Amino acid sequence: MDLQTVNQENFDISKPINLAPREMTLFKSELDKQFAEGNGVNILKALHNAFYLAGLERSIKQFDEGKVVQFTAEQWEAFVNEQNLL
């Protein structure tokens, strides 16, 4: 199955958009919020926000579970300074 990244520039209605259960819940919440604001509905914005918020929740969960690498400011600076960026 060919999935797509959803944004205004590359949206292709012929390709499926699959939502995980949490993404679907967030998508519905975003649509409800837009309806309540009374300024019309922007489906692409609601999809983008749902994907973004679900990803943010996953990142926070990974952080809380200690599944991320952490640097002190000094360690990060040393790492960056060791890179040969030019």
Side-chain angles (χ1 to χ4, degrees):
M1 181 178 300
D2 188 21
L3 301 178
Q4 63 179 319
T5 301
V6 180
N7 62 49
Q8 192 71 34
E9 293 78 36
N10 74 351
F11 184 67
D12 182 353
I13 197 162
S14 69
K15 294 182 183 178
I17 298 171
N18 294 328
L19 297 156
R22 182 63 184 150
E23 291 168 341
M24 180 59 96
T25 299
L26 292 166
F27 177 64
K28 183 186 177 308
S29 294
E30 287 294 311
L31 289 176
D32 289 344
K33 179 181 167 187
Q34 289 181 16
F35 278 122
E37 290 171 351
N39 297 324
V41 175
N42 184 331
I43 300 287
L44 291 176
K45 181 178 178 181
L47 282 170
H48 177 272
N49 288 351
F51 290 140
Y52 177 81
L53 292 171
L56 188 58
E57 286 178 358
R58 284 189 297 272
S59 295
I60 291 169
K61 182 180 178 193
Q62 288 175 341
F63 180 81
D64 290 344
E65 293 172 351
K67 296 181 180 177
V68 295
V69 176
Q70 296 182 18
F71 293 93
T72 65
E74 293 81 16
Q75 291 170 323
W76 182 251
E77 184 175 350
F79 172 78
V80 170
N81 289 338
E82 289 175 8
Q83 305 306 305
N84 223 352
L85 300 176
L86 298 177

